[in-house]
Amino acid sequence: MPRAVVVIGAGISGLAACLRLSSAANVSKIILLEASGHLGGWLQTTRTQEGAIFEHGPRGVRPMGIAGKNTLQMVTDLGLDNDVLPVTYGNEDSRNRYVFVGGKLCKLPSGFRTPFSTHPPFSQPIIVSLLREPFIRRGKDQDESVHSFIGRRFGKEVQLDGGTVNADHIFSSVPAKVLSRVLPPIWEPLCESLRKIASVSVAVVNLEYEGLVLPVSGFGHLIPSHESSEILGVVYDSCSFPQQDRVGPPTTRLTVMMGGSWFQESFGDPDTVPQGHLLQRALDTVQNHLGITQKPLQSISKVHKDCIPQYTLGHSELLDTIFGSIDKHHLALSLIGASYRGVSVNDCIYEAQRSVDRLLGLTQQPR
């Protein structure tokens, strides 16, 4: 029987769902709703007049596992194979990753030999922890935070304006809290559960400098919270994707990411934080961590409000409650997007398409 389907949210999850729905013979109409004037959600790109490309959100995917292979298949189905910029494992810039600890950059272990040697900031070879792993008891709780796991196993170091849309089914890819604000009051128990899925905001500052100014070559570096709670990391964009540099004399593109769980504490309201303040914090970080003191040729600052869901302890049980409520009341609603089963681009695409397949009866996989 022909179906009219509404997809709420034109991020990567919503677009992936629309793509899958478009190939279904029994779907007669697909209506994509997006509150902003932008398609792609957190995937946002700026190309300057000089030809430089700045990514303000995710800038690449790792084609690992089922979800990764699914993304590659989608790329092939769309005829985009020739547009892929590969970064192979043999590329030094894909292997070199750093952490800023104790006022300096420390290279993270990579390759076969490094697990057997000690590298700062680690106090012992990683192989010691790996060999000890089978003899360490499991945690007492069924669900466990990443911090707790690492601590036990490896130690502490490391309705729409203008009218109504009728549909046989709805796919929602907006954040869980956003969905909870638009569902009807009769669904309050479900809304209460959705509101429990928290999310954090991230500020992204793209910088471009004249010349080759990086003291090291690699993907980028992370900053532990004990070093700086508001700065998350720096990505060396020109190292991984030099094809996206401007035409002409060499330049260096960097991206500084800030906020996360400490956004409110460090910067205040994501809706009102001055871009100039974000830019200055980014410049200070680049100077202190990489020794770059010159003024950038270009800078772009953006704030992604509530962009990263936080899977807290009990998340799997919370999902059981949410999806159980939808099934129990036979709601014509499917939940997709980063709020539920994975925040990566690969996860979002895979879960969106798998959800469509379940609706169409193409798979009997559980939610």
Side-chain angles (χ1 to χ4, degrees):
M1 183 176 181
R3 296 173 180 265
V5 179
V6 166
V7 178
I8 304 175
I12 190 64
S13 296
L15 294 176
C18 286
L19 177 64
R20 196 68 144 212
L21 288 164
S22 67
S23 63
N26 59 340
V27 176
S28 60
K29 181 186 293 186
I30 305 168
I31 303 172
L32 176 62
L33 304 177
E34 170 57 45
S36 72
H38 165 77
L39 300 180
W42 308 124
L43 292 165
Q44 300 178 21
T45 304
T46 295
R47 183 189 296 271
T48 68
Q49 292 182 343
E50 296 79 13
I53 295 177
F54 295 99
E55 298 291 352
H56 313 304
R59 71 244 6 253
V61 297
R62 283 192 168 194
M64 304 291 288
I66 296 176
K69 292 180 180 179
N70 179 73
T71 299
L72 291 181
Q73 185 60 54
M74 185 186 74
V75 169
T76 297
D77 294 342
L78 291 170
L80 297 175
D81 285 331
N82 292 333
D83 295 313
V84 173
L85 296 179
V87 180
T88 64
Y89 184 77
N91 187 322
E92 184 181 69
D93 295 332
S94 71
R95 298 198 313 267
N96 292 347
R97 295 162 189 258
Y98 303 85
V99 59
F100 187 80
V101 177
K104 62 181 180 179
L105 291 177
C106 298
K107 185 178 178 181
L108 292 174
S110 64
F112 175 75
R113 294 182 179 179
T114 49
F116 298 91
S117 56
T118 300
H119 296 265
F122 306 101
S123 63
Q124 62 182 8
I126 291 180
I127 192 65
V128 174
S129 295
L130 296 178
L131 292 174
R132 194 172 60 219
E133 162 68 18
F135 304 98
I136 298 178
R137 294 181 180 179
R138 296 184 58 180
K140 296 180 180 180
D141 299 326
Q142 182 177 0
D143 200 1
E144 183 175 19
S145 69
V146 174
H147 181 273
S148 172
F149 177 86
I150 295 297
R152 285 194 306 105
R153 304 290 178 141
F154 297 98
K156 296 297 183 180
E157 294 181 288
V158 189
Q159 174 182 87
L160 296 177
D161 294 336
T164 300
V165 174
N166 295 316
D168 297 301
H169 198 85
I170 297 174
F171 285 86
S172 172
S173 69
V174 298
K177 281 191 175 182
V178 174
L179 179 61
S180 72
R181 295 196 292 265
V182 299
L183 289 177
I186 194 173
W187 291 2
E188 176 53 31
L190 174 59
C191 294
E192 182 181 357
S193 295
L194 291 171
R195 286 192 292 268
K196 293 179 181 179
I197 301 179
S199 56
V200 298
S201 302
V202 172
V204 177
V205 179
N206 303 103
L207 302 168
E208 182 184 26
Y209 291 92
E210 182 178 6
L212 306 177
V213 298
L214 282 170
V216 295
S217 178
F219 181 83
H221 71 266
L222 297 174
I223 300 98
S225 59
H226 65 80
E227 291 282 338
S228 173
S229 61
E230 70 269 27
I231 308 299
L232 305 177
V234 182
V235 181
Y236 312 157
D237 298 295
S238 287
C239 288
S240 297
F241 298 106
Q243 307 94 327
Q244 297 180 335
D245 287 342
R246 69 163 66 193
V247 177
T251 61
T252 300
R253 291 174 300 111
L254 305 172
T255 301
V256 182
M257 301 182 181
M258 303 177 286
S261 298
W262 297 274
F263 194 102
Q264 290 279 158
E265 177 184 336
S266 302
F267 302 108
D269 188 342
D271 292 323
T272 60
V273 57
Q275 291 195 354
H277 178 56
L278 297 175
L279 174 58
Q280 190 57 55
R281 287 298 290 115
L283 295 177
D284 291 343
T285 298
V286 169
Q287 178 175 341
N288 295 334
H289 293 195
L290 300 170
I292 302 174
T293 59
Q294 67 190 69
K295 183 179 179 179
L297 298 171
Q298 301 256 13
S299 66
I300 304 175
S301 302
K302 290 184 176 290
V303 175
H304 301 305
K305 184 178 179 180
D306 296 330
C307 65
I308 304 182
Q310 304 292 284
Y311 297 169
T312 57
L313 293 177
H315 183 73
S316 59
E317 290 82 2
L318 183 58
L319 293 187
D320 290 341
T321 299
I322 291 172
F323 290 117
S325 176
I326 292 174
D327 292 340
K328 177 181 178 180
H329 298 286
H330 305 289
L331 303 182
L333 174 67
S334 293
L335 305 183
I336 57 178
S339 290
Y340 309 104
R341 289 201 170 98
V343 300
S344 75
V345 172
N346 287 333
D347 291 332
C348 288
I349 294 171
Y350 178 71
E351 291 298 332
Q353 295 187 339
R354 195 173 75 142
S355 185
V356 171
D357 289 346
R358 282 196 298 268
L359 173 66
L360 301 177
L362 300 179
T363 178
Q364 297 301 315
Q365 293 179 340
R367 289 182 181 271

